[in-house]
Amino acid sequence: MTTANFPLPVPNLDNQEFWDQCRRHRLVLRRCLDCRSFCHPPRPNCPECASSNLEWVESPGKGKVYTYVITRQPVNPAFRERLPWGVVEVELEEGVHLISNLVDCDADDIEIGMEVEVVFEAVNDEITLPKFRRVGQ
Ligand SMILES: [Zn+2]
């Protein structure tokens, strides 16, 4: 994979642990210890009760395609050779939604409701992206 000029996440204080665990092929989510809500993307306070009493919990990374979009125009030149580019919103079993891509699946084969599980794709020494693949096929 050519990653030159490809836009990548920039870890910050709130999500460093998320990216560190992705590098170890573990998907972790931020959860509030007071109201048990998940907080994704990771942030310093719970969006439901504003508590800063948060923990990291590991997710099995199983869910379904909630919705998706297929990009057929290279809005960023880095995507030109990857078109059509499918972006999925996955609803994990925990109810958390993640924006990602599917691996081993043509963009035109993506379907809402498709069962998926997380896989990890190392891009460089710092960033490993959580991606998803179909299960049961
Ligand atoms: Zn809370």
Side-chain angles (χ1 to χ4, degrees):
M1 170 192 299
T2 300
T3 58
N5 301 317
F6 196 78
L8 292 174
V10 178
N12 60 38
L13 287 176
D14 295 329
N15 63 29
Q16 184 69 56
E17 181 68 13
F18 178 86
W19 295 112
D20 286 349
Q21 293 302 323
C22 280
R23 223 171 34 248
R24 298 177 182 105
H25 292 197
R26 295 177 70 224
L27 183 66
V28 294
L29 302 172
R30 203 92 161 114
R31 184 171 62 187
C32 177
L33 285 164
D34 292 325
C35 76
R36 312 307 288 173
S37 296
F38 284 98
C39 315
H40 191 84
R43 64 199 81 177
N45 295 88
C46 172
E48 296 298 323
C49 74
S51 171
S52 59
N53 192 18
L54 307 172
E55 65 176 348
W56 289 100
V57 295
E58 186 168 6
S59 167
K62 296 186 184 308
K64 292 182 177 179
V65 172
Y66 181 80
T67 192
Y68 66 94
V69 65
I70 300 173
T71 300
R72 299 182 191 279
Q73 298 294 322
V75 292
N76 179 321
F79 291 84
R80 187 178 313 274
E81 294 177 11
R82 299 171 186 219
L83 297 176
W85 178 253
V87 176
V88 294
E89 180 175 338
V90 171
E91 182 178 53
L92 296 173
E93 290 175 346
E94 296 90 337
V96 171
H97 288 216
L98 291 179
I99 305 298
S100 184
N101 312 109
L102 297 186
V103 298
D104 300 328
C105 181
D106 290 339
D108 290 327
D109 292 336
I110 299 171
E111 295 179 3
I112 290 173
M114 179 183 284
E115 291 188 37
V116 295
E117 65 184 1
V118 73
V119 294
F120 294 91
E121 184 177 286
V123 178
N124 58 34
D125 289 343
E126 184 181 14
I127 297 295
T128 294
L129 297 173
K131 303 262 180 142
F132 289 84
R133 70 176 169 214
R134 285 184 280 190
V135 295
Q137 294 190 12

